[in-house]
């Protein structure tokens, strides 16, 4: 499963996000992810992909594509 698919799966299963709404250009706040939800998502991503995102600064204004890009960079590092 790709990083993008893993993140999409987490958004759907853990946050009840509509799969049709998850697109690279969509800001995270449009998926109803506030700062607390972003922190929870970060922890889920770290557990699922065995990656450390402690130094990653994301806000709800960032897009799904930016999130995937950052996580992918950590996974391949």
């Amino acid at each position: 499963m790709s990083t993008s698919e893993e993140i999409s799966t987490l958004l759907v299963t853990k946050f009840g996000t509509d799969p049709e709404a998850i697109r690279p250009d969509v800001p995270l706040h449009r998926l109803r992810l506030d700062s607390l939800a972003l922190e929870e998502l970060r922890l889920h991503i770290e557990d699922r992909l065995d990656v450390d995102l402690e130094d990653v600064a994301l806000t709800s204004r960032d897009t799904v594509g930016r999130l995937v890009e950052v996580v992918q960079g950590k996974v391949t590092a």
Side-chain angles (χ1 to χ4, degrees), residues 44-64:
H44 285 302
I45 292 170
E46 285 182 340
D47 285 347
R48 187 154 183 156
L49 300 178
D50 193 30
V51 63
D52 182 10
L53 301 176
E54 193 64 45
D55 61 343
V56 171
L58 286 170
T59 71
S60 60
R61 289 190 209 109
D62 284 307
T63 62
V64 172

Side-chain angles (χ1 to χ4, degrees), residues 8-75:
S8 293
T9 298
L10 285 171
L11 287 168
V12 171
T13 59
K14 303 292 185 185
F15 298 93
T17 305
D18 177 1
E20 297 293 314
I22 303 170
R23 296 186 316 276
D25 61 325
V26 173
L28 298 169
H29 69 83
R30 292 249 312 269
L31 301 179
R32 297 194 179 115
L33 294 175
D34 59 12
S35 58
L36 187 60
L38 282 175
E39 180 62 18
E40 186 179 339
L41 177 59
R42 183 181 69 77
L43 294 172
H44 285 302
I45 292 170
E46 285 182 340
D47 285 347
R48 187 154 183 156
L49 300 178
D50 193 30
V51 63
D52 182 10
L53 301 176
E54 193 64 45
D55 61 343
V56 171
L58 286 170
T59 71
S60 60
R61 289 190 209 109
D62 284 307
T63 62
V64 172
R66 170 87 177 115
L67 172 63
V68 170
E69 184 181 293
V70 168
V71 172
Q72 185 64 44
K74 291 288 188 174
V75 168

